[in-house]
Amino acid sequence: MLVWLFGWLGQYYSPFSAVSSLTLRALLAVVTALAFSMFFGGPVIRHLRSLKYGQAIRNDGPQSHLAKTGTPTMGGVLILSAIGVSTLLWARLNNPYVWILLIVMIIFGAVGWADDWLKIKYKNPKGLIARKKYFWLSMGALFVGISLYYIATLQPDMATTREMQDLLIPIFKDWMIPFSAVPFGIGFIIFTYFVINGSSNAVNLTDGLDGLAILPVVLVAAGLGAMAYVSGDVRFADYLHVPYIAYNSEVIIVCGSMIGAGLGFLWFNAHPAQVFMGDVGALALGAMLGTIAVMTRQEIAFAIMGGLFVAEALSVMLQVGSYKLRKKRVFRMAPLHHHFEEIGWKETQVVARFWIIAILLVILGLMTLKLR
C-alpha cells in the first residue's frame, strides 16, 4: 500500500523530478528555495508586524537584547514553506525518506509554532508547557525511528538491512556499533530518538543572536547533503566505505532546499534582524538535520559538523547542573554565545567568529569520509 502511494504521488505531483540529473535538481532546489524566501520575505515580515507577532525578550538575558523587543518572530514559517515548496517541486516523491523529512518538518514546526504563539499571546517567553512540548517532540522522533527501522526490515539483503541501522564509526572502515543486533530495533529507535531531539533542541538553543543559528544550519545541511550524495551512489559508497542506502539519493534535494531557504532567510535575519525564526524554525530545522544524519548513518560526523550546536547545548547543561549541585555558575551566562557577550564581545563579533568555527567543523566532519 505504501509503495503504491509513494509511486502515485511521485507520478502526479512532482513534475520537475523528471529531470534526470540529481545534481541539477539539487542546485535547482537551492535556487527555488532561495527565490521563494527572497520574494516572500518582505510580505511575510510586514504581515507578522501587522499581527503584532513581536518577540518577548527574557529579562534575565543580556540587557542589550531588550532593544529587540517587538521584532517579528515566527519567521521560520517562511523557511519551512520554502523548503516544502522546493522539495515538492524537485524531489522524486516515491522516495519514503523525502516524506519522512517533510513529516518531521511539519510535526516539529507545529510544536514550535504553538510555543511561539503562546509566547506572543501571553507576552511570556516561557511558551508551551514543557511536558506537552517534549511529548510531541518525542512522538516526532519516535515516528522517525520506527519508520526507518520498518523501511530497513523491508530490504531483501540482510547486509543492507544491518547497514541501515548500525552506527558507523568515522575513520574506521569496518567498525560499527551493531544496533541491528538488538531485537525489534529498540537500540536503533532509542538512539534515533536522542539524536533527533538533541539536535532539535541544540539548534533552538543556538538561535539567540541575529543570524547565529541559520548559517551553521545551512553549512551543516550542505555537509550532510554531501554525505547523502555519497551514500546514495553505490560507486562512491563502495570507494569511501560507507553504507550504500539508495533512498539517500533524494535526500540531497531536501538538503538543497534547506540551503536555499536558509540563505534567503539570512538576508532578513542578519544584524540588525528584521525577523527572528522562532521555535517554529529552529526546532524543525534541528530535527531535520538530525533525521538526515540518521538516514545517512553519519551521526558522529554530524556531531562534529554541528559541534557549535553541541557546544551550545552542553553549556546549558553544565550551567544548570553546576548551579543545582554547587550553587556556582560555570559561565557568566548560558547558552555559550551569551557568555561571550558578557565578557565584552559585540554581538556581531560573536556571530562572525562562531560562523568561522562552524565552517571549520563542517570541513573537519567531511574529512572523516576520506580518512576512513
Side-chain angles (χ1 to χ4, degrees), residues 2 16 55 113 133 160 175 198 219 252 270 287 309 320 337 348:
L2 287 175
F16 298 115
Q55 177 72 49
W113 182 89
K133 181 177 181 180
T160 302
W175 189 18
L219 294 170
I252 189 176
F309 304 136
V320 173
H337 53 265
T348 50

Side-chain angles (χ1 to χ4, degrees), residues 343-362:
I343 66 174
W345 290 16
K346 295 181 180 179
E347 179 176 345
T348 50
Q349 288 179 310
V350 176
V351 171
R353 289 168 181 173
F354 276 35
W355 282 357
I356 293 170
I357 293 171
I359 293 170
L360 294 175
L361 289 172
V362 170

Side-chain angles (χ1 to χ4, degrees), residues 67 95 119 165 185 241 270 303 311 333:
N95 186 312
K119 291 176 183 177
Q165 298 179 58
H241 299 279
M333 189 176 291

Side-chain angles (χ1 to χ4, degrees), residues 147-292:
S147 298
L148 294 182
Y149 170 73
Y150 176 72
I151 291 170
T153 60
L154 295 178
Q155 304 310 305
D157 185 355
M158 283 303 296
T160 302
T161 300
R162 290 193 299 269
E163 287 182 338
M164 292 177 73
Q165 298 179 58
D166 294 343
L167 176 62
L168 187 68
I169 307 297
I171 302 177
F172 300 99
K173 292 182 179 180
D174 302 310
W175 189 18
M176 297 184 180
I177 296 177
F179 285 135
S180 58
V182 181
F184 309 111
I186 293 174
F188 172 77
I189 292 170
I190 292 175
F191 181 71
T192 298
Y193 169 87
F194 283 110
V195 170
I196 294 174
N197 263 331
S199 174
S200 178
N201 285 284
V203 172
N204 195 32
L205 289 170
T206 306
D207 184 34
L209 301 178
D210 297 351
L212 177 60
I214 191 61
L215 186 60
V217 165
V218 168
L219 294 170
V220 174
L224 288 175
M227 298 288 191
Y229 186 85
V230 167
S231 63
D233 188 298
V234 66
R235 298 163 300 173
F236 290 132
D238 181 65
Y239 175 69
L240 294 170
H241 299 279
V242 298
Y244 167 62
I245 303 171
Y247 293 130
N248 279 332
S249 59
E250 291 301 307
V251 171
I252 189 176
I253 306 300
V254 182
C255 291
S257 299
M258 293 177 70
I259 293 168
L263 291 175
F265 181 75
L266 181 59
W267 183 271
F268 303 100
N269 187 234
H271 184 79
Q274 297 173 256
V275 64
F276 300 139
M277 76 166 75
D279 286 9
V280 62
L283 290 176
L285 292 174
M288 292 177 75
L289 291 177
T291 302
I292 295 169

